[in-house]
Amino acid sequence: MKNIKAIVLNRNLSIITTVIFLALVIVGCATTIPRTDTELPEIRLEITGPGIGRQVMTKPPRDNWTGPGGVQLFDLVPNTVYRFILTVSDQGGVARANIRMPDNFIVTNLAPSTTEEVVGISRSLTQLGSRANPRTGLIISGRFRTPNTGIGRVISFEFLTEGTDFGGASGPRNQRFMDVNASVNALSG
């Protein structure tokens, strides 16, 4: 039992250390907003948990992440906790990072604390950058618990992500979207 607790503690410390490192490396990089910026931001979404292991989706290369034939990329287990990390990066500074998921997902351990959470027809998590203090990246991380679907019920949905840069000192903002098809399925796991 003592060894199991040590393994769980080491795993949790490893996850925390990774998130802190990413936050320091990506979010901690100050930048200067260029005069013009036509490059789109990059988006990376990582989801980790039971039944799916570690799934990493990026844009580029893909706008839409689906399984073969357009079905869900992965099935999440009902009433189960998953970790997520959304990273948006752009050398000219990131103005906004956003992820949307079903409103019945319970989100905890949300970081950074300045992340805005709005619940309506979906649960929207937003982190805003600052023109006065531009950074090359923004991160939103946390945990979510999937709803209990009941026997034989499947909930199909999309994780919708968005990254926006400042568009340079004088240009329009550049925006990129990525969506990931998934489901909560009692037959998963």
Side-chain angles (χ1 to χ4, degrees):
M1 186 67 164
K2 207 176 210 181
N3 287 341
I4 292 173
K5 286 182 181 179
I7 290 170
V8 170
L9 179 62
N10 285 338
R11 183 172 175 228
N12 287 340
L13 286 175
S14 173
I15 292 166
I16 291 168
T17 303
T18 301
V19 169
I20 290 170
F21 175 75
L22 283 172
L24 290 174
V25 170
I26 295 173
V27 178
C29 297
T31 192
T32 302
I33 297 174
R35 188 174 168 150
T36 58
D37 180 358
T38 58
E39 295 294 317
L40 297 173
E42 293 183 9
I43 298 174
R44 181 180 190 271
L45 177 62
E46 179 179 326
I47 300 174
T48 307
I52 64 166
R54 179 173 168 254
Q55 298 284 327
V56 178
M57 291 74 53
T58 61
K59 172 63 181 157
R62 292 169 56 185
D63 289 328
N64 188 293
W65 288 80
T66 62
V71 299
Q72 285 71 28
L73 182 63
F74 50 79
D75 294 319
L76 303 176
V77 179
N79 198 32
T80 302
V81 175
Y82 292 85
R83 288 185 313 279
F84 71 93
I85 301 171
L86 171 68
T87 307
V88 177
S89 58
D90 187 273
Q91 291 304 309
V94 178
R96 173 182 154 100
N98 176 266
I99 180 170
R100 285 183 285 158
M101 61 186 73
D103 64 341
N104 57 352
F105 281 30
I106 305 302
V107 175
T108 59
N109 300 81
L110 193 56
S113 62
T114 54
T115 301
E116 178 183 340
E117 181 176 12
V118 176
V119 180
I121 58 172
S122 65
R123 183 172 303 273
S124 178
L125 308 172
T126 304
Q127 182 65 31
L128 297 175
S130 165
R131 241 183 213 287
N133 187 21
R135 303 285 178 187
T136 57
L138 293 176
I139 291 178
I140 300 173
S141 68
R143 296 172 187 257
F144 63 83
R145 177 178 291 280
T146 55
N148 191 354
T149 59
I151 297 173
R153 185 162 174 243
V154 176
I155 299 172
S156 296
F157 65 94
E158 293 177 316
F159 289 103
L160 301 170
T161 64
E162 175 230 332
T164 306
D165 69 14
F166 294 108
S170 60
R173 292 183 175 202
N174 300 301
Q175 197 170 36
R176 178 167 269 168
F177 298 93
M178 180 181 76
D179 59 285
V180 177
N181 292 334
S183 71
V184 179
N185 187 340
L187 301 177
S188 301

